[in-house]
């Protein structure tokens, strides 16, 4: 809540390295670190055999050289995917990382993490539970990762599995029941498409005791305006223009 100690920085590197590296890869996290960022956002889902790994989409086509629904493939089959060549030839051979590997990078770089739970359709509850369980285990001794999801089912499952981990509810379009939803899910933050934010809405959300994360903010002028209006965190692809020291 807004009156509690809040450990997270104001700027978050979207999918690890923003638009400077292939998303949701270890190389992307390395890139975010090189640019001085103290917190990353990544997307986590389950393989068919319930390994927690990073991928944004349900399917593999956009960001790998493999086709199909990722959640239908065992981890052994996903390990052969090239998750870098689509971005640039220089990133060829980059692999899909396990969440455990992400935690190791965070430990090494002293980075914080926002883990977005991205369930494959039909396994929302299981994904929420297992991502939360993995996050609690892998981030021991580190600042708690901030869990988030568009899926209320996944967030509820995460809440029941690891209630001590902070949660944020994601909204791409405005939902009038945001207050009841965040209270039911025990959320500490509301994560919104920045275009949804007006000064009145920012004030309503803050008065409800919630932090605000705005995504995906890539223009420095807009970024300064939102921070000045009371937004707590910005997720950006332009990790070069909107750096870790931007809000100081």
């Amino acid at each position: 809540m807004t009156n509690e100690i809040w450990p997270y920085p104001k700027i978050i590197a979207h999918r690890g390295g923003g638009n400077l590296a292939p998303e949701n890869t270890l190389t992307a996290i390395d890139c975010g670190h090189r640019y001085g960022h103290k917190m990353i956002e990544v997307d986590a889902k389950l393989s068919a055999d319930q390994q927690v790994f990073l991928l944004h989409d349900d399917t593999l086509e956009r960001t790998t050289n493999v086709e199909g629904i990722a959640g239908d493939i065992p981890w052994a089959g996903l390990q052969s995917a090239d998750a870098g060549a689509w971005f640039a030839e220089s990133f060829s051979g980059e692999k899909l990382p396990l969440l455990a590997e992400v935690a190791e990078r965070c430990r090494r770089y002293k980075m914080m993490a926002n883990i977005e739970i991205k369930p494959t359709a039909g396994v929302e509850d299981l994904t929420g539970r297992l991502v939360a369980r993995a996050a609690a285990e892998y981030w021991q001794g580190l600042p708690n990762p901030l869990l988030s999801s568009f899926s209320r089912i996944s967030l509820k499952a995460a809440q029941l599995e690891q209630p001590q981990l902070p949660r944020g509810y994601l909204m791409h379009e405005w939902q009038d029941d945001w207050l009841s939803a965040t209270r039911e899910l025990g959320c500490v933050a509301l994560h919104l498409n920045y275009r949804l934010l007006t000064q009145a809405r920012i004030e309503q959300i803050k008065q409800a005791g919630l932090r605000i994360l705005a995504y995906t903010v890539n223009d420095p002028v807009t970024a300064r305006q939102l921070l000045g209006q009371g937004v707590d965190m910005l997720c950006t692809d332009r990790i070069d223009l909107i750096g870790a020291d931007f809000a100081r």
Side-chain angles (χ1 to χ4, degrees):
M1 310 296 280
T2 52
N3 61 347
E4 294 178 347
I5 295 174
W6 185 250
Y8 307 113
K10 292 185 179 294
I11 308 300
I12 303 173
H14 191 219
R15 301 179 192 174
N19 60 10
L20 299 183
E23 64 184 61
N24 285 311
T25 62
L26 297 180
T27 292
I29 299 171
D30 294 341
C31 181
H33 170 67
R34 284 199 305 275
Y35 277 84
H37 286 272
K38 302 301 182 185
M39 187 170 182
I40 54 169
E41 182 267 353
V42 294
D43 303 293
K45 61 181 353 92
L46 300 180
S47 64
D49 51 349
Q50 300 181 6
Q51 295 298 303
V52 183
F53 72 102
L54 299 197
L55 187 73
H56 178 274
D57 300 356
D58 282 347
T59 57
L60 292 152
E61 286 88 337
R62 182 176 66 86
T63 57
T64 80
N65 62 339
V66 178
E67 297 182 353
I69 297 173
D72 292 344
I73 303 172
W75 179 242
L78 293 168
Q79 286 180 288
S80 63
D82 187 323
W86 69 275
F87 186 86
E89 187 176 348
S90 58
F91 293 101
S92 295
E94 189 70 23
K95 301 301 182 183
L96 296 169
L98 292 166
L99 190 63
E101 296 176 293
V102 176
E104 290 173 2
R105 281 297 204 280
C106 287
R107 194 176 300 275
R108 180 191 308 175
Y109 295 146
K110 296 181 172 58
M111 297 177 90
M112 300 181 192
N114 169 203
I115 304 170
E116 182 181 340
I117 304 169
K118 280 281 191 182
T120 303
V123 290
E124 290 86 357
D125 183 274
L126 181 64
T127 305
R129 284 193 285 117
L130 294 189
V131 170
R133 186 181 303 171
E137 177 184 351
Y138 301 150
W139 267 262
Q140 286 185 33
L142 298 174
N144 281 334
L146 176 60
L147 304 183
S148 62
S149 188
F150 290 101
S151 169
R152 297 189 188 189
I153 296 174
S154 292
L155 275 184
K156 173 56 71 174
Q159 178 188 21
L160 294 173
E161 173 66 33
Q162 298 291 333
Q164 80 284 3
L165 294 183
R167 291 169 300 284
Y169 180 51
L170 272 158
M171 295 196 321
H172 191 65
E173 297 179 348
W174 187 256
Q175 299 170 23
D176 289 335
D177 67 342
W178 62 270
L179 181 55
S180 61
T182 52
R183 285 180 174 172
E184 179 185 350
L185 298 167
C187 292
V188 298
L190 196 59
H191 299 199
L192 309 94
N193 180 334
Y194 79 91
R195 293 179 177 87
L196 301 178
L197 289 168
T198 63
Q199 187 63 55
R201 284 178 173 175
I202 290 171
E203 291 174 3
Q204 287 178 338
I205 296 166
K206 299 303 284 286
Q207 286 171 4
L210 293 166
R211 298 283 179 166
I212 301 173
L213 183 153
Y215 71 89
T216 303
V217 184
N218 297 325
D219 171 55
V221 174
T222 303
R224 291 197 186 280
Q225 177 183 345
L226 289 168
L227 291 172
Q229 290 178 302
V231 170
D232 297 281
M233 299 185 288
L234 305 177
C235 196
T236 184
D237 282 321
R238 291 306 309 267
I239 67 169
D240 49 343
L241 291 181
I242 304 175
D245 295 331
F246 180 83
R248 293 182 182 176

